[in-house]
Each structure stands twice: as C-alpha cells, then as structure tokens.
C-alpha cells in the first residue's frame, strides 16, 4: 500500500481506553466552563497581556497579526476544506477524510457554546501600548483561534501510528501551538487564560469527538448499509 493511502489511517483505528477518554473530556469541559464563569469579570492576567503586547511592533507585530488573520474563522474553514480535499485525494478514503474534518470541526465549533455562556470581554485595548486593529468585540474566553490550531494538531497526531512519527508530530505541533498562542497574547486580543483553556479543550475533546465519529457515525453508516443489503438479498 502506498504512503498516501496510509496517510492518517490511525484515525480509523479501534478506540482503546474509551472510559478514560470520556471521563477526561467530561471533566475537562466542566472545569473549563466553571473556570470561565469564575474569571469572566476578572483581569488577573491582564498584566501579562500588557507585557507581551509591548513587543507588538515592527516585524513581530506583522507576524503576530498574520497569525491572527490566517486563523480567522473563514480562513480556518477554507483551510480545513482544502486539507480535507488533499487528504481525500491522497488516500482515496472518504472515511479518513471525513474523520479528519469532523474531528477538527466539532472540537472547534463546540467551543462556541462556552464562549456564549461565559461571555468574557476582551483585554481593554485602550490600556495596551499597541492595540490590535480593528478592535475585536466578540467574547474572549476561550480562544477560537487557539482551539482550532490545537484541534488541527491533535487530529494529525491521532492520525499517525504509534511511533517516532507521532512523537515528532506531537513535539512540532506543540511548539506550533505554543508559538501561535503566544502570538494571540502579543496581539492583545486574548488573555493567557483564554488560550490555555482552548489548548486544554482541544487536547481533551478531540479524541472524544474522533471516538464518537468512528464508533458512532461511521459504524452506524456501516450497519445501515448492511441492513439495506440484507433487505435486497445482496451478499455482505
């Protein structure tokens, strides 16, 4: 089998430690929601935002602005569709491609519920040395940008077979998440607590979403096809 056909094939692997994945996701979601409700009116980490925003000039400012723009919702959606198309073309496996897209999308979009419930205001741009323009007026906690980036990295890592490639992808992906999250704080558009919550969300929710998609949705499709074949008298 070609390398392309094997790309991200581990996404379809049988899920092990299901109870641990479910409990981890459940506890993580509750903690992120509760913490958000506790800190939504606080600005305990604003000093960190102000410190990092002091570096938001010249090349650094241009780079961090680019990070924010590249991972805007529309760009993120388009990027996910493009990557999914590439994966489908290389693997010729709709199950792998759909699992990739569904894991990222559900992990990322489900965070909108927390943003709506918590509704934490963004860092006060008027108190920052280099305020981001245009001003961002949507909820700050958790960060949708950081959640998308984390979901993307975690999904890729989940798709790689256990071994050196997974560890390498995890290390590189972790550094990418850290760099992008730091850029969001330098931009002054998120508190550190916003991006930390999003990173945790992506790490605990993405494996749960993958499990539900593979064990629930794809298996349900397979069962439906089997019943339909039996009904018309076709072999399995």
């Amino acid at each position: 089998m070609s390398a392309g056909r094997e790309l991200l094939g581990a996404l379809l692997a049988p899920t092990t430690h299901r109870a641990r994945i479910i409990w981890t996701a459940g506890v993580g979601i509750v903690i992120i929601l509760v913490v958000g409700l506790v800190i939504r009116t606080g600005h305990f980490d604003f000093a960190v935002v102000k410190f990092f925003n002091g570096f938001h000039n010249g090349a650094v400012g241009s780079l961090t602005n680019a990070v924010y723009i590249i991972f805007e919702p529309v760009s993120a959606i388009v990027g996910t569709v493009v990557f999914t198309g590439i994966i489908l073309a290389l693997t010729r496996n709709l199950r792998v491609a759909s699992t990739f897209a569904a894991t990222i999308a559900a992990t990322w979009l489900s965070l909108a519920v927390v943003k709506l419930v918590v509704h934490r205001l963004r860092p006060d741009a008027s108190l920052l040395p280099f305020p981001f323009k245009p001003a961002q007026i949507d909820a700050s906690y958790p960060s949708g940008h950081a959640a998308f980036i984390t979901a993307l990295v975690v999904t890729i890592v989940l798709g790689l077979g256990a071994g050196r490639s997974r560890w390498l992808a995890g290390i590189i992906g972790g550094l990418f998440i850290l760099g992008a999250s730091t850029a969001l704080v330098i931009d002054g558009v998120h508190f550190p607590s916003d991006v930390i919550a999003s990173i945790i969300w992506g790490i605990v929710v993405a494996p749960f979403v993958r499990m539900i998609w593979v064990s629930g949705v794809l298996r349900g499709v397979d069962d439906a096809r089997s019943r339909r074949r039996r009904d018309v008298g076709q072999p399995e």
Side-chain angles (χ1 to χ4, degrees), residues 118-135:
V118 174
H119 198 70
R120 185 188 196 187
L121 297 180
R122 298 270 186 167
D124 190 343
S126 66
L127 302 178
L128 296 175
F130 300 102
F132 186 87
K133 296 180 181 179

Side-chain angles (χ1 to χ4, degrees), residues 18-36 114 141 197 200-205 208:
R18 292 192 179 193
R20 186 173 68 185
I21 291 174
I22 294 171
W23 276 104
T24 301
V27 171
I29 290 170
V30 171
I31 290 176
I32 289 169
L33 179 58
V34 171
V35 169
V114 181
Y141 178 99
I200 295 173
W201 180 277
I203 291 173
V204 303
V205 173
F208 175 74

